[in-house]
Structures are given as structure tokens and as C-alpha cells.
Amino acid sequence: MMRVAYLDCFAGISGDMFLGALVDLGVELPELKQELLKLGVENFDMIARKVTRKGISGVKVDVKVTGDQPHRHLDDIVNLLSNSELEDTIKQDAQEIFGMLATAEGKIHGCPPEKVHFHEVGAVDAIVDIVGTLVGLKKLGIEAVYCSPLNVGRGTVKCAHGIMPVPAPATAELLVNVPLYTAGPAIELVTPTGAVLAKYLAKEFGLLPAMTLKAVGYGAGDRETDIPNLLRIMLGERDHHIFTFSHWQQPHEHSHNHGHGQSHSHSHQ
């Protein structure tokens, strides 16, 4: 059996929504905090609480910065991860994710990735969101991630550089070759952190893959919107032997003997 997760992004995706859904699925917050302490990042805390969005219960995770944080470039984040006590696979994945972010930001701003100064993305909450998501998936034993097309929202969003169209330019760059659509409120539904996590982790984008559903978790966004502001993660198990339906689809013939000395055959398509 392969343990898989399907990201149902009907209201977009962000790093804190991803974390919230993982906590809703059973990742213990104290264990998550313990792993994140291995980063060596100080002056932050994580809080998880139950909320409802359009009557659906989910978990809202907030990262609280409790003190000053240094400005960080890509090299600073790579060194932070390299010098941490996290598992090697989590270090490598996190470094590649931040590399993708820096490449996208650099292309938009016309500078090499190593010169990108992370604003929202480089803040400690984004580091916690990304590393925490990787840790949470590991703790749940997820072997593969699948993802729906992304509802990116519409309108404009206020960023460090001013008012930007939705999806924000770096987000749009990250989502090249990813299926997108827009529905619901005129707000940003996919953040850069959410975009890069979906792009990096998803084995495929599309409809729900065949699975035996084992659990469903909901991670909440910041506010109420016209649609439930939630990321739904469907946790399941895949056994390719169970989901082989080819013998139903092939034409076959069989004979009927009705006891009157005559038999006939017909095929089923």
C-alpha cells in the first residue's frame, strides 16, 4: 500500500493552510515545534486553533514572530538549513524549494537568484511553513502528493513592492505548467509559499486519484470569503491491484445454453 495525499485547492493554497490541514490530520503541534527548533531560528512561536469557514471546521495555524529577525538572502537560508539538525531529506527538499522561490523572484526583478532579498517569503513564518510542511508530511508517512488544479483568485494584492495583480508575478512564474482557474472572491488565494509547495511536491495535477480514503483534514486561511477558505487534504492508500478495472472494459464473449438444445453467444462492450 502506498500512502498518498491529495491537495484539494478549491480555495487556493498557502503555507499556513497546508500546515493547518496536516495538524488537522493528526500531526502533533508539540512534535512539530520540536523539529522546527532544530533550525536554530529564534523568536517565533506556533499556535493552532480550531475555526470554522462557512460552517466547516478546520485548523488555523499562526506563526508568531516574537522578536527581531535578520534580513535573509538565499545563501542565508541555505546555510541555515545546512547547519540545522533536521533530517537530510528535509534539508535538501527545503533548499530546493527556496531555490525555486529565489529563481522566480529573480526573474521578476531582473536579478540572479542569490541576489534576491526575500520579503514575505524570507520571513521566519515562511521558513517555518515550508519546513513544517515537509516535517508534517514525513510524520504522516506520505509517500506521494497529488494536487487539484489551483484556484488562484483574482483582483489585486498588496505586496512589498506595491499593488500587484493576482496571481502575484512571482506566484504566476512559479505556476508555469500548472493547471489554474479563477472562481469566487476577488482576492489572492494562492500565495508564493503555497504555489512553490504545490509545484515542488505534487507528483501530478488533476482529478482525485483512485485511493481508499482514510482521513480528511482542513487547513484554514485568514478570513471568511464567499467560498470556504480552506485547503482540504484527502489522505488515502493506493493499491494498484485493487484499482485495475481493465477486465471490466475489455469486450468478452460467453455462451448461454437455455436447455432447448440451442445455444448462442454475444459480446459485451
Side-chain angles (χ1 to χ4, degrees):
M1 291 285 189
M2 176 183 286
R3 198 166 173 85
V4 301
Y6 180 70
L7 312 180
D8 189 4
C9 305
F10 59 85
I13 184 170
S14 64
D16 59 335
M17 291 167 79
F18 208 147
L19 267 183
L22 294 175
V23 171
D24 201 33
L25 282 167
V27 176
E28 297 290 341
L29 197 65
E31 291 184 17
L32 201 55
K33 287 181 180 179
Q34 194 64 36
E35 285 295 309
L36 289 167
L37 287 175
K38 295 178 181 179
L39 278 167
V41 175
E42 299 179 344
N43 300 323
F44 79 92
D45 193 16
M46 293 174 66
I47 299 167
R49 56 194 169 91
K50 276 283 190 180
V51 298
T52 58
R53 297 289 184 259
K54 292 296 181 185
I56 301 174
S57 175
V59 172
K60 179 72 180 76
V61 170
D62 291 300
V63 179
K64 301 292 186 183
V65 178
T66 58
D68 292 338
Q69 295 290 332
H71 294 292
R72 291 185 172 100
H73 293 79
L74 180 60
D75 286 347
D76 300 317
I77 294 172
V78 169
N79 289 334
L80 182 74
L81 292 163
S82 296
N83 295 328
S84 75
E85 297 177 2
L86 292 163
E87 290 185 27
D88 287 343
T89 54
I90 292 175
K91 287 184 188 181
Q92 182 178 347
D93 286 341
Q95 288 171 353
E96 291 186 18
I97 288 169
F98 273 102
M100 289 172 63
L101 280 169
T103 299
E105 291 276 2
K107 183 173 181 180
I108 297 303
H109 299 305
C111 65
E114 60 271 15
K115 297 294 185 183
V116 169
H117 171 231
F118 290 102
H119 298 285
E120 302 94 338
V121 172
V124 66
D125 57 338
I127 298 171
V128 170
D129 284 346
I130 289 169
V131 176
T133 293
L134 295 172
V135 169
L137 290 170
K138 184 91 171 178
K139 287 192 173 294
L140 289 174
I142 304 300
E143 299 170 79
V145 175
Y146 297 83
C147 189
S148 72
L150 303 183
N151 183 3
V152 296
R154 57 193 174 90
T156 58
V157 62
K158 187 175 182 180
C159 300
H161 297 283
I163 304 297
M164 297 289 172
V166 169
T171 303
E173 183 64 32
L174 286 163
L175 294 178
V176 169
N177 295 322
V178 172
L180 312 176
Y181 67 99
T182 181
I187 60 172
E188 178 186 53
L189 293 179
V190 175
T191 66
T193 305
V196 75
L197 284 169
K199 179 76 172 282
Y200 181 80
L201 292 170
K203 183 177 180 180
E204 293 177 9
F205 286 88
L207 300 177
L208 177 71
M211 67 168 73
T212 300
L213 187 62
K214 294 296 183 181
V216 182
Y218 293 90
D222 285 327
R223 52 185 167 174
E224 282 279 16
T225 61
D226 296 341
I227 55 178
N229 191 10
L230 298 161
L231 169 67
R232 176 165 64 178
I233 299 184
M234 306 178 80
L235 185 65
E237 292 179 349
R238 298 197 75 190
D239 184 334
H240 294 291
H241 297 293
I242 292 175
F243 298 110
T244 301
F245 299 121
S246 59
H247 64 286
W248 287 4
Q249 299 163 351
Q250 299 299 319
H252 63 278
E253 292 191 357
H254 61 266
S255 296
H256 295 284
N257 192 323
H258 298 287
H260 47 60
Q262 300 292 326
S263 66
H264 63 272
S265 65
H266 59 269
S267 65
H268 294 274
Q269 298 296 329

